[in-house]
Amino acid sequence: VVMLFGLRFLLGLAESPSFPGAARVVREVVAPASRSRAFGVLFTGSSLGAIIAPRLATAMFSSFGWRFTFVGTALVGLLWIPAFTLAARRSPVRDVLDAARAEPAASGGFVTAIRTPAVWRSTAIIVAAAPVAAFSLLWGAKMLVGRFGIAQKDVGTYLWLPPLVFDVGAIVFGDLASRLRARSPAWVALPFGVAALLSVAVALVVTTRDPWAAVAFVGVAMAGVGGVFAIQTAVLLERMPPALASVAAGINAGAQSLAYIVASAIVGRVVSRTGGYDAALVGLGLWAIPGALVWLV
């Protein structure tokens, strides 16, 4: 367990530059009116992986053993590197990225970014919405087992839905925000508000005793979170100087990870004390509201 934890820590450390780098690329390559749409597509990558990986890992485990499961999934990442490198080297993408790289670095870096109101506003909604995603990703399986009596080996039958709907929400709300922004930047608040409202649906799980209905409510909430993430990231980077885009995106990603850690610990504490998930689910739904209001105001 110690070795697994250590390797997982190193994996997180190594992958941490991916989102800030991706955000900077989108900021430089994609036109402002289309960035919400672009971030909606970008956010689908991790959840598509969450949909595919469990079944792929199970198949590799059955055919080749657990060791190859780790090696096989690592090979997917290694094979992606040359594919992305070739795509990024094509003109005009490479020309745009080279021009951005030639720009002088912004003074202050992290300190300047953390003092920016847009970063604080973005952090507020990340801290509000990320715990909903954390519950789906980290506690969904345990809830199905503990609340509905689903066998551990069967949870994958249900858990493909929330990440898929997260992708749909990120794409649909991102596209809608881009369309409305072409009319007026202020109109972006409309799809954002609807997405934030959907994230509250996680609290409705307490009203059902059917596992599919529970997963559907979690999926609706995840669709809202996907939309919130896509829209707020595009708006944040639009308000940041180009040289600070990666720093701002890194702060965003760090806030999300910290929210996952804290939320998971609190959910565990609440479930242990109450013996069920109702209080945690209602709390997560209500927690998403203040951060959304801060962002909108």
Side-chain angles (χ1 to χ4, degrees):
V1 173
V2 172
M3 179 65 74
L4 183 62
F5 178 85
L7 292 173
R8 183 63 187 87
F9 176 83
L10 291 175
L11 173 62
L13 190 67
E15 72 181 0
S16 60
S18 62
F19 181 72
R24 177 67 184 268
V25 170
V26 172
R27 170 69 170 75
E28 298 300 337
V29 173
V30 181
S34 298
R35 284 177 192 152
S36 294
R37 184 182 299 115
F39 280 113
V41 176
L42 174 64
F43 277 113
T44 65
S46 58
S47 38
L48 278 175
I51 297 170
I52 297 171
R55 297 186 181 275
L56 179 64
T58 301
M60 289 189 293
F61 175 82
S62 300
S63 301
F64 306 107
W66 69 268
R67 289 180 174 84
F68 185 81
T69 304
F70 284 91
V71 175
T73 50
L75 288 175
V76 174
L78 291 175
L79 292 174
W80 181 252
I81 294 174
F84 176 78
T85 302
L86 289 174
R89 290 180 66 87
R90 294 178 180 176
S91 189
V93 174
R94 182 61 182 265
D95 296 337
V96 174
L97 294 177
D98 284 345
R101 187 173 59 183
E103 295 177 357
S107 60
F110 175 82
V111 175
T112 301
I114 202 66
R115 292 177 177 175
T116 306
V119 171
W120 282 102
R121 183 176 76 160
S122 177
T123 301
I125 188 56
I126 285 291
V127 170
V132 175
F135 182 86
S136 175
L137 297 172
L138 306 177
W139 284 89
K142 291 183 70 64
M143 181 190 70
L144 288 173
V145 173
R147 183 181 175 89
F148 299 103
I150 305 299
Q152 183 71 41
K153 64 182 180 63
D154 295 329
V155 296
T157 305
Y158 300 87
L159 291 181
W160 60 270
L161 183 60
L164 175 62
V165 185
F166 175 93
D167 288 351
V168 173
I171 292 174
V172 170
F173 281 107
D175 179 70
L176 181 59
S178 289
R179 292 176 185 272
L180 292 176
R181 190 201 177 285
R183 300 182 180 182
S184 171
W187 282 40
V188 172
L190 177 61
F192 177 89
V194 175
L197 185 62
L198 290 183
S199 68
V200 181
V202 69
L204 297 179
V205 174
V206 303
T207 66
T208 182
R209 291 294 181 266
D210 178 72
W212 275 114
V215 170
F217 282 131
V218 174
V220 171
M222 287 290 280
V225 173
V228 165
F229 281 6
I231 295 172
Q232 71 86 22
T233 304
V235 172
L236 167 66
L237 297 185
E238 185 175 339
R239 285 162 168 73
M240 299 299 296
L244 289 177
S246 294
V247 179
I251 294 172
N252 239 5
Q256 181 178 333
S257 296
L258 287 174
Y260 278 16
I261 294 169
V262 175
S264 185
I266 293 175
V267 168
R269 187 74 169 177
V270 172
V271 171
S272 296
R273 282 182 172 269
T274 63
Y277 290 85
D278 286 5
L281 289 163
V282 172
L284 288 169
L286 295 177
W287 176 252
I289 297 175
L293 293 176
V294 168
W295 194 92
L296 287 168
V297 172

